[in-house]
Amino acid sequence: MMMHRVYIGLGSNTPDATKQMSDAIDWLMTQLDEVASSDVYSTPPLSGIGPDYLNAVATGLTAMSNDQLNLLLKDYERQAGRTPQSKISGQVPIDLDIVVWDGTVVREKDFSYDFFQRGYRQVIAEMKAERRDAER
């Protein structure tokens, strides 16, 4: 079975953002194998309007296709309260986006932003450290 390494950007800017982020990371752990997550950190909104976001980056392995996983992530967003209206109002209960798939950047814009790079660099560094420790 072919397993794919994915890196998913997570974000939330609602009053319950801490719970939304924690719930989403916990859920990803049930959907992916070998899940690792960055710390959750706060970043200002790209638009400069509205509350700060909590962000994180999670990685894991999946046997699903990119399309299958993306549909699953969008379904989770809807169940967590994400609606077209919430997007227009700038309220984002949870945002889950596949940014890197099997080493290929699939969302160039997200990949370039600091809100993604910060968590991505942390996860990569932790995975390298774990590999070094495992080799000892």
Side-chain angles (χ1 to χ4, degrees):
M1 178 169 46
M2 176 75 182
M3 296 297 278
H4 306 281
R5 167 72 56 193
V6 298
Y7 291 86
I8 298 169
L10 296 88
S12 177
N13 74 346
T14 49
D16 64 344
T18 300
K19 181 176 181 350
Q20 287 279 8
M21 294 292 285
S22 175
D23 288 351
I25 291 167
D26 288 348
W27 176 79
L28 284 172
M29 289 182 174
T30 69
Q31 303 300 312
L32 304 173
D33 294 330
E34 298 178 28
V35 176
S37 171
S38 71
D39 295 333
V40 175
Y41 45 90
S42 179
T43 61
L46 290 174
S47 66
I49 301 165
D52 283 358
Y53 278 78
L54 289 184
N55 292 103
V57 173
T59 185
L61 296 172
T62 182
M64 287 181 259
S65 70
N66 185 311
D67 288 343
Q68 288 170 319
L69 180 58
N70 195 51
L71 285 170
L72 194 67
L73 297 178
K74 297 309 156 191
D75 189 52
Y76 180 88
E77 288 178 356
R78 280 189 297 278
Q79 289 179 24
R82 184 111 189 243
T83 63
Q85 294 77 21
S86 68
K87 193 171 186 178
I88 293 165
S89 72
Q91 291 288 305
V92 180
I94 194 72
D95 185 29
L96 302 171
D97 292 312
I98 301 166
V99 180
V100 181
W101 179 270
D102 275 345
T104 300
V105 176
V106 294
R107 289 180 71 103
E108 293 277 348
K109 205 169 180 183
D110 286 4
F111 187 79
S112 70
Y113 289 131
D114 183 62
F115 70 75
F116 181 80
Q117 281 293 318
R118 186 169 160 188
Y120 182 68
R121 287 191 302 263
Q122 182 190 352
V123 168
I124 296 279
E126 287 174 4
M127 288 174 58
K128 283 181 181 170
E130 285 176 16
R131 274 199 297 274
R132 273 194 311 272
D133 292 346
E135 290 167 4
R136 287 192 185 133

